[in-house]
Each structure stands twice: as C-alpha cells, then as structure tokens.
Amino acid sequence: SLEEEKKQEGIYLYRICHSHSPIRWVRLKVQMDETAALGVVQDVTHEVVEKRKIEYERDYDILTNLLNRRAFQTAVSDKLSQPEICKIAALIMLDLDNLKFINDTFGHDCGDRYIRFSADVLRESTPKGSILSRMSGDEFYLFLAGYQSKTEIRAIIRTIKKNMQTMEFMVPGYGNMKMRASGGVAWYPDDAGQYEELVHYADFAMYTIKNTIKGEFCEFDAEQYRRDSYLLHKKEDLNRLIEERLVEYHFQPIVDVHTGNVFGYEALMRSRLDGIDSPGEILALARS
C-alpha cells in the first residue's frame, strides 16, 4: 500500500508497506513544463527512520514511552487553540504515593519497573485520543478533551481510579503491592483557558488531596485556592525563614493572680520575612 504526504509543491513522500518486507520510504521529485514531466525517485528510508527516531527521543519519555513535558505542552496547547473541538476538557495531574517507599526499600530498579507498570495502567485506562505524559519521577499528566459534559470525564476518572486500586505490582521477596496515586483535576474552560493556569490549578488540587486523603482525586476549588494558595507558592520561603533564622519571639508573662508571681511565658512568634505574615501560615507550611 502507499501513503502519500505532500511536503511541498512537486515533492512527495511515500511509505511503501508490504507484509513480507520492511517498510520503505521513497521521495518523488517532479518538475513539469508544457511539454514534459521529469521525475526522480530516491530511497530515503534511512533518512526518514533516523529523523523519526530523533523526533521520538525528543518527544517521548524513554522509561515509559509516554509524552514528555515539552511534547505534552505542545499537544495540549494545540487542543486549547481549537475551542470548537476542545469543548469541555480536564487536565489531571497524578502523583504516585508510594514510589519513594519502593525506591528506598527495594531500590531504584524496582522503582523504575513500578513507574512503567503505572504508565501501562494509565494508558490502558484512558480512551483513545487522550493525551498522557510522564512529567517527572512520580508525576503523570493527563488531558481529556472534546467531551459534552463533566459527567463523561468524571466517569473516565472513576475508571482510572478503580483500575489503579485493583491492579497489583509484584515486588520480588515482598509480594503484591497496591498501586496508589493521588490526582488533582482542573477544568477547561471553567477553571482556566490557558495551559499554564490549568497545570497550576491541577497541581494545587493534587497538593491539597495529598495532604489530606492520599489515593483520592480532588477537583480544583477556587475558594480554597484563594484561601490556601500560599501553601503551594511559599515552600521555598519556609526554607529561607529557617535557614536565615527570620523568626523572632516576644515572651508575654503569665502571672499567678493569687501571688502576683510570674510562673510562665506565652511565646509570641513573629516572622521577619516579607510574604509570610502570621504564625498560622508558618505552622501550616511546616505541616504541609
């Protein structure tokens, strides 16, 4: 069979498929005038294969064969530029809850197998046309687009969650281990219309659920974000506050009213770092 891709005027690329031989690629160059047509056919199989190998290594994660960060952003941004196609969509960020335990206990080779296992489960749980990516060590992104309602997407999320909870990963010398991941969901267009905002809000939703009930999915809540977004933004501020000792205390005496003697002090903590205003913020950051 032949598949034709027109690259530019007068130049064509053909893929030649045959069940008993490898795929071949040929380029046809054609020049025409009023009296004649001149064509040159060239076997460019090696050139095309090498180019596609380079493109694959550029766009795909080597460990899981899922899209990498750059390719995922490109694919999602392309979808978002076509609102008539995108309609209702969700960007989902998933974080494997037990990868650190596996790496620390059984080694990074076992951790890599667990990442590949998780990628396979996610791939098999998502519909055709979904955009799935591995972002970093234990983070995956999923973009579901082109649906008529959130109900349809929530049904897919339930399937993903169910499959993750029922699949077991075999660890030699230990036994079967449940796969578990926490997820955050940001909606297009309700929560945001741009890629960066969707990622940011999905990250906040995932962060929220990981600090409450691991293994669940959480949809972005704008009111909660307005109240608690500093937990996501100011992690590095906490490190600076500790390392540079930017905390001071004022000790307020507690007096025994019967004797008039001071028997204790209330320690009033104050931050000297701009951006972290209250003791409550410092303690919430520390807990998270």
Side-chain angles (χ1 to χ4, degrees), residues 61-108:
D61 173 60
I62 296 175
L63 184 62
T64 62
N65 293 320
L66 298 178
L67 292 176
N68 59 25
R69 180 187 299 271
R70 174 198 163 280
F72 179 81
Q73 179 173 355
T74 300
V76 173
S77 297
D78 181 62
K79 287 281 189 182
L80 294 175
S81 69
Q82 306 173 67
E84 71 282 358
I85 297 175
C86 201
K87 298 179 182 177
I88 295 176
L91 194 148
I92 304 163
M93 183 182 295
L94 299 106
D95 184 273
L96 301 178
D97 293 325
N98 43 9
L99 179 62
K100 186 178 187 305
F101 168 76
I102 292 174
N103 281 334
D104 293 346
T105 308
F106 307 106
H108 286 269

Side-chain angles (χ1 to χ4, degrees), residues 31-37:
Q31 287 186 331
M32 302 183 66
D33 58 26
E34 295 179 355
T35 60

Side-chain angles (χ1 to χ4, degrees), residues 180-224:
R180 193 178 70 183
S182 301
V185 183
W187 293 102
Y188 169 89
D190 287 0
D191 294 330
Q194 301 297 319
Y195 173 81
E196 291 79 8
E197 288 182 311
L198 286 169
V199 168
H200 185 71
Y201 293 157
D203 188 21
F204 177 78
M206 183 192 72
Y207 177 84
T208 300
I209 201 65
K210 278 187 72 72
N211 283 279
T212 51
I213 311 172
K214 288 186 177 182
E216 295 292 333
F217 283 70
C218 174
E219 296 184 14
F220 174 73
D221 184 322
E223 180 60 36
Q224 185 178 23

Side-chain angles (χ1 to χ4, degrees), residues 6-228:
K6 189 170 183 179
K7 295 297 182 183
Q8 61 188 63
E9 193 64 34
I11 301 178
Y12 304 88
L13 185 68
Y14 291 89
R15 184 175 70 173
I16 304 176
C17 304
H18 192 280
S19 58
H20 301 297
S21 61
I23 294 174
R24 308 295 297 181
W25 294 87
V26 295
R27 181 184 292 126
L28 172 64
K29 296 183 179 180
V30 180
Q31 287 186 331
M32 302 183 66
D33 58 26
E34 295 179 355
T35 60
L38 175 66
V40 177
V41 177
Q42 181 182 9
D43 187 331
V44 292
T45 301
H46 180 74
E47 175 187 330
V48 171
V49 169
E50 284 299 309
K51 179 182 178 183
R52 296 199 170 192
K53 179 182 177 183
I54 292 171
E55 290 174 345
Y56 187 88
E57 291 174 349
R58 179 196 66 194
D59 293 339
Y60 286 84
D61 173 60
I62 296 175
L63 184 62
T64 62
N65 293 320
L66 298 178
L67 292 176
N68 59 25
R69 180 187 299 271
R70 174 198 163 280
F72 179 81
Q73 179 173 355
T74 300
V76 173
S77 297
D78 181 62
K79 287 281 189 182
L80 294 175
S81 69
Q82 306 173 67
E84 71 282 358
I85 297 175
C86 201
K87 298 179 182 177
I88 295 176
L91 194 148
I92 304 163
M93 183 182 295
L94 299 106
D95 184 273
L96 301 178
D97 293 325
N98 43 9
L99 179 62
K100 186 178 187 305
F101 168 76
I102 292 174
N103 281 334
D104 293 346
T105 308
F106 307 106
H108 286 269
D109 287 343
C110 186
D112 286 349
R113 289 195 298 107
Y114 181 66
I115 291 171
R116 285 195 295 268
F117 172 83
S118 302
D120 290 341
V121 172
L122 289 171
R123 190 184 286 111
E124 294 166 5
S125 302
T126 51
K128 184 178 179 180
S130 305
I131 304 174
L132 182 60
S133 168
R134 180 190 176 211
M135 282 290 128
S136 61
D138 57 0
E139 283 188 356
F140 295 85
Y141 284 8
L142 171 63
F143 189 69
L144 301 170
Y147 294 90
Q148 300 296 326
S149 69
K150 292 181 180 180
T151 302
E152 296 176 72
I153 296 178
R154 288 185 178 118
I156 296 170
I157 294 173
R158 285 195 297 271
T159 298
I160 295 170
K161 180 180 172 183
K162 178 182 176 182
N163 289 348
M164 287 193 302
Q165 290 176 339
T166 55
M167 297 297 290
E168 294 185 337
F169 175 69
M170 178 61 187
V171 180
Y174 178 85
N176 292 332
M177 178 178 293
K178 293 283 188 182
M179 179 185 174
R180 193 178 70 183
S182 301
V185 183
W187 293 102
Y188 169 89
D190 287 0
D191 294 330
Q194 301 297 319
Y195 173 81
E196 291 79 8
E197 288 182 311
L198 286 169
V199 168
H200 185 71
Y201 293 157
D203 188 21
F204 177 78
M206 183 192 72
Y207 177 84
T208 300
I209 201 65
K210 278 187 72 72
N211 283 279
T212 51
I213 311 172
K214 288 186 177 182
E216 295 292 333
F217 283 70
C218 174
E219 296 184 14
F220 174 73
D221 184 322
E223 180 60 36
Q224 185 178 23
Y225 178 79
R226 283 190 288 271
R227 186 178 66 245
D228 296 337

Side-chain angles (χ1 to χ4, degrees), residues 252-287:
Q252 178 171 289
I254 301 174
V255 178
D256 184 332
V257 295
H258 295 292
T259 65
N261 295 328
V262 174
F263 71 89
Y265 293 86
E266 178 184 5
L268 305 177
M269 180 169 63
R270 296 291 181 262
S271 165
R272 292 190 285 113
L273 180 64
D274 291 338
I276 299 182
D277 300 320
S278 72
E281 287 189 9
I282 294 174
L283 296 176
L285 280 167
R287 277 195 299 270

